[in-house]
Amino acid sequence: MPGTLGLCGCCWALRPRYKRLVDNIFPEDPEEGLVKANMEKLTFFALSAPEKLDRIAAYLSERLTRELNRHRYGYVCIAMEAMEQLLLACHCQSINVLVESFLSMLRLLLEADRPHLHILATSSFVKFANIEEDTPSYHRSYDFFVRRFSEMCHSEHEDVDTQNKIRVSGIRGLQGVVRKTVDDELQVNIWEPRHMEQIVPALLVNLQRHTQAGGESPTEQTEVCFRELLGRAAYGHITNAVRPVLMHLDSHGLWEGRSFAAQCFQIIMYSIQSQHSHLVIQQLLGHLDANSRSPASVRAGIVEVLSEAAVIEASGSVGPTVLEVFNTLLRQLRQSVDYQLTGYYDDAAKHKTTSAEEKTLQDAVIKTIGSFANTLPVYQRSEVMLFIMGKIPVPGIYPALGSPNAGYHFKMIQVMLLKSSNLLTALPSSFLEPLLSFTLMEDPEIRLLVLSILTSLIDRCHNAARVPAARCSRQDNLFIRKHAQRLYRHVYLTCREESSGRGHYQALVTLLAVLSVELANEEVVVDLIRLVLALQVHADLSVLNRCGVHAVCAAFLNLLSQLGPPPPLQQHVTQVRPPVYKIMLNVFGRVCVRLPEGELNVDEACLFDQSRMCEALTGSSYSAHIERFNTPYTPQLTGTRNTH
């Protein structure tokens, strides 16, 4: 026996020095951990003889394999720790010599059936990923690690705490792969679809998980990793990074309810470089088109995500694709109306839809059009409005004006125009003229809607609800000088429409009130009073319409007289109580009064008197317009003001 021991000792002494140094770092009891003094000797030797590094790494890998097969996991941990220290110490010189052995050791641990070894391997890989290499690496593959870390992100371990740790570890591993490869052209292209289709779903699955009580949260760690991944994406990588997100949301039915889908794209939009954000918008638009035959809830979810993405993207880089955006949204709006009318969202009439579902989608599209419009500079908003007008039936141009779709198209226009902020550029003549022509349509619902649109266009300070005094800017003055007569003419003619009802007269009063508040100057006030005086003469109207017109005149003049004209004018207005006063209240819904039967005779003494109003304005700043005031109002077809 002694001879045998002597022989063994002799053989050990004959072993290569690097093997003896490696063996010496392992203590007799693995609980004692790495022998630090001997590890320092091994490190010094490796630095002094770098040609031995590959042999040291190979022998460490051999030791780890042997200990792993014997289930001596304490020694396995020591081997990994030693390799980590060698990597840190030697990375400036010959790290490539160590890396292959290091990665093979990690593969062994990740292929084992012990979760704690998976976590150990991932931790080592993350440390390695944070090392900046000075020398290029060739033919190094991380495909296995992408696949394995992604699998760890989907862990369903029966112990929730262990499952949580494995998932967090997998996420960190993926983060390490990205850091290690994304900036090195010689490394594997992590942005290839085959990698993104593993990485992105693995992250999204954990992004859906709620924060766990105690310990680390996969959700929080995932968001950090996801943001870092997107933040490193160059122009050509955005598509490959976003496509798996769309596929994941499709396959898991996550557009409906949209809260998670919106969260995903908020992260995407805030994480990518701002100049690339229009690429995300383009992908969402393409995906919306691809889902044209999907249920309304899916389409609405995609559209609402588009809307929120547009708000985030407010820098305006959507510019190059402006018309594409609105063309796609208008197409979806038209399709939705068709589906609503047929009751099916496919050509084969197999998949039913409901009016309520399609209405939800239409509201989402309208909201999104507004969101996009709000990101554009003023000059582009004007161009977009003209583009939309070219898509919508206009009297004299498109015979399909009276189609069932008209109301929906108009709603979309209204919201679109509400986002405009400059009357002069937001309301060009080429748009205003066809819009005003709708005030004379036979359909009372469309007429009422156009009155609301006109009010909204002018009411940029939201005065319709509270009507305070406002200053008229130079641009507003230019606008009213150019378009006032068109507006007055259509108000005059709309008042005389037999099919007008209570809502129309209420809308007319609101429009006139907002017009006087937003755009009023002496000339405008004089013209508005002339218009009201002309409206009082309407012998050919029915009793209801005559009551409505009187109601408009009385209510509007009462408001106008309080906005600045001389006190005598206000006194005259408050003294006049037309015999239809109670009926006027009925028109505006305050009390319920029966309409008089037969003819409605109105004594001229109970009407607003032109001569008394002229007298009230004399001696004030309105004196310069007295000659104009004494000229009866007549509707004009052009925008130039009447000089007669």
Side-chain angles (χ1 to χ4, degrees):
M1 182 67 70
T4 304
L5 289 173
L7 182 61
C8 290
C10 179
C11 291
W12 187 87
L14 294 175
R15 290 165 61 81
R17 185 182 178 191
Y18 74 88
K19 287 190 176 182
R20 297 200 306 272
L21 290 171
V22 169
D23 290 334
N24 286 340
I25 67 173
F26 293 91
E28 291 187 11
D29 183 358
E31 295 291 332
E32 296 176 7
L34 181 69
V35 180
K36 294 182 179 180
N38 291 339
M39 185 65 215
E40 291 176 0
K41 293 178 182 178
L42 176 61
T43 303
F44 180 78
F45 176 78
L47 292 172
S48 303
E51 70 279 2
K52 302 289 187 180
L53 273 175
D54 57 339
R55 299 180 187 180
I56 293 172
Y59 186 58
L60 264 174
S61 178
E62 180 184 329
R63 282 294 306 257
L64 179 135
T65 304
R66 185 164 67 242
E67 306 299 351
L68 186 62
N69 291 334
R70 295 176 178 177
H71 305 293
R72 299 168 66 174
Y73 301 120
Y75 288 130
V76 169
C77 294
I78 291 172
M80 285 308 308
E81 184 180 354
M83 181 60 87
E84 290 172 12
Q85 292 195 23
L86 286 175
L87 283 170
L88 290 171
C90 304
H91 75 274
C92 293
Q93 299 179 10
S94 307
I95 192 172
N96 283 335
V97 178
L98 297 170
V99 169
E100 285 306 316
S101 294
F102 171 72
L103 294 180
S104 67
M105 293 166 70
L106 295 183
R107 291 190 193 96
L108 289 172
L109 298 186
L110 290 169
E111 288 172 341
D113 59 356
R114 300 281 178 168
H116 74 279
L117 295 180
H118 303 164
I119 295 171
L120 172 66
T122 305
S123 177
S124 292
F125 184 86
V126 170
K127 293 175 184 176
F128 162 68
N130 290 329
I131 297 175
E132 294 185 8
E133 300 184 45
D134 298 327
T135 54
S137 55
Y138 302 93
H139 311 300
R140 192 186 295 173
S141 173
Y142 294 99
D143 290 13
F144 168 83
F145 296 98
V146 171
R147 177 178 58 81
R148 190 69 189 93
F149 291 143
S150 297
E151 290 172 353
M152 289 170 65
C153 292
H154 293 276
S155 172
E156 295 294 340
H157 195 280
E158 57 186 14
D159 180 71
V160 175
D161 186 55
T162 302
Q163 179 190 119
N164 209 35
K165 290 179 180 178
I166 294 173
R167 289 192 173 212
V168 169
S169 187
I171 294 163
R172 286 181 168 169
L174 290 177
Q175 193 173 20
V177 173
V178 172
R179 287 179 179 174
K180 198 64 181 173
T181 61
V182 75
D183 294 323
D184 190 346
E185 295 181 358
L186 298 174
Q187 302 277 13
V188 62
N189 185 0
I190 202 67
W191 302 106
E192 289 181 4
R194 62 192 179 97
H195 295 308
M196 286 292 104
E197 288 169 10
Q198 295 181 71
I199 294 173
V200 173
L203 296 177
L204 296 181
V205 164
N206 287 283
L207 199 60
Q208 292 175 252
R209 291 170 63 91
H210 296 293
T211 302
Q212 303 290 330
E216 293 180 276
S217 164
T219 305
E220 294 174 1
Q221 187 66 37
T222 300
E223 185 169 341
V224 171
C225 181
F226 196 29
R227 288 184 183 278
E228 182 174 342
L229 173 70
L230 295 164
R232 293 172 177 267
Y235 183 88
H237 304 148
I238 297 295
T239 300
N240 288 348
V242 174
R243 186 184 296 114
V245 177
L246 300 173
M247 294 168 59
H248 182 84
L249 296 173
D250 283 346
S251 60
H252 291 80
L254 295 172
W255 292 111
E256 302 177 56
R258 79 164 189 82
S259 57
F260 179 69
Q263 179 190 1
C264 287
F265 278 90
Q266 282 176 352
I267 293 173
I268 291 171
M269 297 301 289
Y270 280 123
S271 300
I272 62 175
Q273 299 175 47
S274 60
Q275 66 268 28
H276 301 158
S277 56
H278 68 279
L279 296 174
V280 179
I281 301 297
Q282 283 180 308
Q283 281 187 271
L284 281 168
L285 288 169
H287 200 65
L288 180 59
D289 272 341
N291 279 272
S292 292
R293 304 294 181 184
S294 296
S297 56
V298 173
R299 285 175 278 137
I302 300 173
V303 168
E304 290 196 27
V305 169
L306 256 172
S307 178
E308 296 192 19
V311 173
I312 296 171
E313 197 269 350
S315 62
S317 62
V318 71
T321 59
V322 168
L323 295 185
E324 178 189 351
V325 169
F326 289 98
N327 202 30
T328 299
L329 292 173
L330 289 172
R331 184 165 56 249
Q332 290 297 321
L333 197 60
R334 289 195 300 271
Q335 286 179 345
S336 176
V337 172
D338 292 339
Y339 296 160
Q340 185 176 4
L341 294 174
T342 63
Y344 296 91
Y345 61 83
D346 65 332
D347 293 333
K350 293 182 179 179
H351 302 287
K352 291 185 177 181
T353 187
T354 66
S355 180
E357 290 174 335
E358 295 300 334
K359 182 66 168 57
T360 299
L361 169 67
Q362 292 157 18
D363 289 343
V365 172
I366 291 168
K367 174 187 173 185
T368 304
I369 288 173
S371 297
F372 272 107
N374 206 31
T375 68
L376 301 177
V378 172
Y379 75 91
Q380 279 191 323
R381 297 181 204 179
S382 181
E383 292 175 1
V384 167
M385 281 188 289
L386 292 175
F387 172 75
I388 293 174
M389 285 303 296
K391 296 285 185 180
I392 297 172
V394 176
I397 301 177
Y398 294 95
L401 178 62
S403 69
N405 300 7
Y408 297 107
H409 291 310
F410 265 96
K411 273 192 177 181
M412 181 271 300
I413 296 175
Q414 180 181 19
V415 177
M416 181 71 193
L417 299 181
L418 281 169
K419 302 297 180 181
S420 301
S421 62
N422 186 294
L423 286 171
L424 191 63
T425 56
L427 203 58
S429 302
S430 53
F431 176 78
L432 180 63
E433 193 59 45
L435 180 63
L436 286 172
S437 67
F438 282 107
T439 63
L440 305 180
M441 284 192 62
E442 293 183 5
D443 189 333
E445 183 179 355
I446 293 180
R447 290 206 313 274
L448 181 58
L449 183 55
V450 174
L451 290 173
S452 177
I453 293 172
L454 288 169
T455 301
S456 299
L457 285 169
I458 299 169
D459 186 26
R460 293 169 301 145
C461 297
H462 309 293
N463 287 314
R466 57 192 194 283
V467 198
R471 292 188 62 185
C472 184
S473 68
R474 179 177 177 275
Q475 286 184 321
D476 292 345
N477 274 324
L478 291 173
F479 168 79
I480 198 64
R481 280 179 176 274
K482 184 175 182 180
H483 300 298
Q485 297 307 318
R486 286 193 182 95
L487 288 170
Y488 301 155
R489 176 177 182 270
H490 285 278
V491 169
Y492 180 87
L493 296 176
T494 302
C495 274
R496 301 174 64 86
E497 286 286 344
E498 286 286 347
S499 60
S500 293
R502 175 184 298 170
H504 295 82
Y505 295 119
Q506 289 175 334
L508 281 165
V509 169
T510 303
L511 173 59
L512 289 171
V514 170
L515 186 65
S516 61
V517 170
E518 290 277 358
L519 303 173
N521 53 39
E522 283 87 350
E523 187 174 318
V524 171
V525 170
V526 167
D527 278 345
L528 288 172
I529 295 175
R530 291 172 61 227
L531 173 62
V532 168
L533 291 172
L535 285 172
Q536 290 185 121
V537 185
H538 42 57
D540 57 333
L541 296 180
S542 67
V543 172
L544 172 63
N545 293 114
R546 293 184 71 185
C547 291
V549 173
H550 278 297
V552 170
C553 295
F556 171 64
L557 282 179
N558 183 61
L559 169 67
L560 184 64
S561 66
Q562 301 178 48
L563 294 179
L569 180 66
Q570 183 176 359
Q571 291 173 7
H572 172 62
V573 170
T574 55
Q575 288 171 359
V576 174
R577 281 288 184 267
V580 293
Y581 182 70
K582 288 185 178 179
I583 299 172
M584 177 190 78
L585 296 179
N586 181 46
V587 169
F588 291 134
R590 297 174 185 172
V591 296
C592 184
V593 179
R594 291 182 60 186
L595 293 173
E597 297 180 0
E599 293 295 325
L600 179 67
N601 297 315
V602 181
D603 194 308
E604 289 194 8
C606 297
L607 299 179
F608 298 102
D609 185 76
Q610 187 267 341
S611 61
R612 289 188 61 185
M613 298 180 84
C614 180
E615 182 182 344
L617 295 176
T618 302
S620 67
S621 59
Y622 294 86
S623 298
H625 305 283
I626 290 299
E627 182 181 351
R628 180 175 178 76
F629 186 84
N630 287 325
T631 304
Y633 171 79
T634 55
Q636 297 181 52
L637 292 173
T638 65
T640 57
R641 65 188 183 94
N642 185 3
T643 57
H644 299 294

